[in-house]
């Protein structure tokens, strides 16, 4: 489904850019702590699910950094296309990490062990990350930034993985269903891969972050340039 994106007026635009910067700063900070806790808990519990979740948080940091880098520029529009490519790569990385972890679990090399810390962390992420994703998505749409919208999808996938992790840990602890987590995670990996392809193929040039001359934008899109 195609996201509906508009271009904000100059007065509103400054506020939206500040909001995006705050959102990505929060996302980076939160995911750094999330990655540290998940990797520690995963190591303690010998849980591939938690270790994979910690690596996913690291990938989410890279995606948020790409958006932060874009909006640190005086004209974020000029960095839009490269930011989209970086976000796409982070999607692919996330997908590879999840698939690798899930296949190992399904082959019996590892499985999600009980971890109280992991369950608490997953619950916190399920509550916090959808809110972050929502505000970044609506801000990105109003601002006219495909990269911000793409990063919000990355954050939403992190939410799905948090829910998958929570269900997997709980089912494994209560019913011994070690396969529940990797099977569900494979579905999420497929979704991450699709979003990565969409982000890579996204035409950021034709969706400028800042207001530009219409004739110039049309010419730039037809010629493949983004220098308006």
């Amino acid at each position: 489904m195609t996201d509906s994106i508009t271009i904000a007026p100059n007065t509103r635009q400054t506020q939206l850019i500040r909001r995006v910067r705050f959102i990505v700063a929060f996302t980076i900070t939160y995911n750094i702590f999330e990655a540290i806790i998940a990797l520690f808990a995963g190591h303690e519990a010998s849980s591939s699910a938690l270790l994979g979740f910690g690596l996913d948080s690291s990938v989410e940091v890279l995606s948020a950094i790409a958006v932060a880098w874009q909006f640190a520029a005086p004209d974020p529009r000029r960095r839009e296309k490269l930011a989209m490519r970086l976000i796409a790569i982070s999607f692919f990385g996330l997908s590879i990490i999840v698939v690798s972890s899930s296949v190992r679990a399904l082959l019996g090399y590892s499985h999600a062990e009980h971890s109280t810390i992991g369950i608490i962390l997953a619950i916190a992420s399920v509550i916090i990350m959808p809110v972050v994703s929502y505000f970044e998505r609506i801000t990105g749409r109003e601002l006219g930034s495909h990269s911000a919208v793409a990063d919000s999808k990355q954050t939403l996938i992190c939410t799905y993985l948090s829910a998958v992790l929570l269900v997997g840990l709980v089912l494994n602890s209560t019913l011994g269903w070690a396969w529940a987590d990797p099977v569900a995670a494979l579905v999420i990996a497929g979704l991450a891969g699709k979003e990565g392809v969409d982000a890579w193929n996204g035409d950021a040039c034709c969706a400028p972050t800042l207001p530009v001359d219409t004739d110039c934008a049309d010419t730039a899109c037809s010629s493949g340039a983004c220098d308006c």
Side-chain angles (χ1 to χ4, degrees):
M1 182 177 69
T2 303
D3 290 294
S4 176
I5 297 179
T6 57
I7 300 175
N10 282 328
T11 53
R12 176 66 170 158
Q13 175 184 291
T14 301
Q15 296 176 342
L16 294 173
I17 289 176
R18 288 175 180 171
R19 185 191 297 177
V20 170
R21 288 173 177 169
F22 173 80
I23 291 172
V24 296
F26 175 83
T27 301
I28 291 170
T29 303
Y30 179 85
N31 278 281
I32 288 175
F33 281 106
E34 184 179 69
I36 293 172
I37 295 172
L39 291 173
F40 172 79
H43 175 73
E44 291 296 308
S46 298
S47 171
S48 62
L50 271 170
L51 290 173
F53 184 71
L55 293 174
D56 160 63
S57 298
S58 302
V59 171
E60 173 67 15
V61 169
L62 296 178
S63 176
I65 287 176
V67 178
W69 169 78
Q70 178 193 350
F71 282 90
D75 183 0
R77 178 179 60 88
R78 296 185 181 276
R79 293 182 174 181
E80 177 90 7
K81 187 172 183 178
L82 181 54
M84 286 289 287
R85 292 294 173 87
L86 294 174
I87 291 171
I89 292 173
S90 71
F91 270 118
F92 296 144
L94 188 158
S95 183
I96 292 171
I97 288 170
V98 174
V99 168
S100 176
S101 176
S102 299
V103 170
R104 283 180 55 83
L106 289 173
L107 291 177
Y109 289 103
S110 59
H111 64 277
E113 300 288 348
H114 172 73
S115 173
T116 301
I117 295 177
I119 291 175
I120 293 174
L121 179 64
I123 292 174
S125 294
V126 167
I127 294 173
I128 295 173
M129 300 317 286
V131 178
V132 176
S133 175
Y134 171 77
F135 279 107
E136 184 172 17
R137 184 170 65 255
I138 61 173
T139 303
R141 286 176 176 173
E142 184 178 351
L143 185 58
S145 171
H146 282 279
S147 60
V149 173
D151 186 56
S152 75
K153 292 180 179 179
Q154 175 77 280
T155 302
L156 192 59
I157 288 179
C158 181
T159 302
Y160 296 154
L161 286 171
S162 301
V164 167
L165 175 68
L166 178 60
V167 171
L169 290 175
V170 171
L171 288 179
N172 186 57
S173 296
T174 58
L175 301 177
W177 292 1
W179 53 266
D181 175 78
V183 168
L186 285 174
V187 177
I188 303 302
L191 177 60
K194 178 184 179 301
E195 293 295 349
V197 172
D198 290 343
W200 185 271
N201 293 331
D203 190 354
C205 174
C206 293
T209 308
L210 302 178
V212 297
D213 179 79
T214 303
D215 293 334
C216 179
D218 291 339
T219 302
C221 288
S222 62
S223 64
C226 291
D227 298 324
C228 295

